[in-house]
Amino acid sequence: MRESDININRVDWVTVMIYFALVIIGWFNIYAAVYDGQVDKSIFDFSINSGKQLVWIGTAIGLIIVIMAADYRLFENLAIPLYIFLLVLLVITPFVGKEVNGQVLTIGFGSFRIQPGEFAKFATALALAKFMERPTFDLSKPNFQLRAFAVLFLPIILIILQPDTGTAMVYFSMLIMFYREGFPQKYYILGIGMIAVVLLALGIENNLYLVGAIVVIVGILIAIGKKTPQRIIAFSVIGIGLIAFIYSLDFVVSKLPEHQQNRIMVLFNPDLDPLGVGWNVTQSKIAIGSGGLAGKGYLQGTQTKFDFVPEQHTDFIFCTLGEEFGWLGSLVVIALFVTLLTRLVIMAERQKNRFSRIYGYCVISILMFHFMINIAMTIGLFPVVGIPLPFFSYGGSSLWSFTILLFIFIKMDSSRAMQLGRLG
C-alpha cells in the first residue's frame, strides 16, 4: 500500500472540516468588517480585504496539498535547519523590515511581505520536538531543562527586540507541552503564584495592602509549622522577596512603551480615557453587547459598518461576529474552536512516537493561547496585545502560519502507523 493511500484513509477529516469551517466563517466576517454599504463592492472584490483574503485562502489550500503529499519524515529532517533559517530572518528583520507603528515585524519585496515571527512558531515547535524526542531526554533534570528553554527563548528574545510583545507571549504557551512531557509541577505553581501577585500589585492602587497581606500570610505559615531556624529563614526570605518584587513592578512598567502602559491601565480601569486609550476595547464591548442573542444580521452591524472599532478585520474580528450573529453565533464559533482543540488532544495522545506527540501539544498550546487571549482581549479581560484569532483574522502570514502549523500535525497523525513500520 502506498503512503498516499494510507494518508487519505487515515486523515482526521473532522479536524480538516473544522479548519475549513473556521476559515470560511472568518472570510465572511472579514467582508462584513470592511463592508460600508456600497453594493458595488462584492466579497470577491480584490481591491478590498475579503478579496485579498480569498487569495490567501487559495494559496493556503496549495500549502495543504504540498504538506499532505510530502513524506512525513521531511518535517523531522528539516526541523533544525528550518528553525535556524527562521532565527536568521528574525535577526535581520529589524534591519531590513518595514516599520509600522514603531514596530518592524515584516520583510519582503514590494507589496508581498511576511512576518517571520508568525512562521517561527511552527519552526520552534518542530525544533523542540526534535530536541526532546530522545527517550533519554528528561525534563525533570536541570541540564535538559536548560537545553529546552534555550530553544524556546531564542525566538522570544529576537521578537521582543522588534518589539512585538504579543507574538513573543505566544511562545510561552508551549510551556503547556513542557508540563505534558514531565517538567516539574512546582515551577508551574510558583509561576501561577507570581502571576497572581503581579495582577494584584497592578490592580490594587495602594501596595501597602498587598504587602500587609503577605506579612500576615508569612507569619501564619511560620506560626502553624515547626519553628525551626531553617523554616523561619526560608519563609522570611520568600516574604521579603515578594515585597521587593511588588515594588520593582512600578519600575518595570515605567520602562514599557507608553502604549503598553496604557493598555495595562485600561485593563484595571476600563473607564480610563474611554475616548483615547480605552476606545478600542470600549467599542468592541459595545459591538458584542449590541448583538444580543441572535445578532443584528449579516452586514447589518452599525458598529462594524461605521468603523467604530479600529483593526476590526484583524485583532478585533470577534466583535464583528458578536454584533452581527449575536450570542448564538459566537457560541457556534467558540464550540468549533473547543472541538478542534479537543480533537488535537486526542490526536496527540494517540501518536506512536515522541516527536509527533510533542509537536502536537505545541500546536494545541499555540492555538489555545491565540483563541483564549484574542477573545479575552475583545471583551476587556486581557490587555490589547495584537494577537489574531486563528483562521479567522485577516492576514496572509497569520493564515499561512496557522495552516502550516496545523496540517503538519494532521500529516504526522495520518502517518502514525507507518512510523512503527506496521504498513508496507
Side-chain angles (χ1 to χ4, degrees), residues 384-399:
V384 179
V385 290
I387 289 181
L389 189 60
F391 317 120
F392 230 81
S393 296
Y394 170 78
S397 290
S398 171
L399 180 61

Side-chain angles (χ1 to χ4, degrees), residues 172-181 188 361 365 368:
F172 286 101
S173 69
M174 284 184 256
L175 291 174
I176 296 173
M177 176 276 292
F178 279 45
Y179 181 79
R180 171 61 180 83
E181 296 303 317
Y188 291 93
Y361 269 98
S365 303
M368 182 172 67

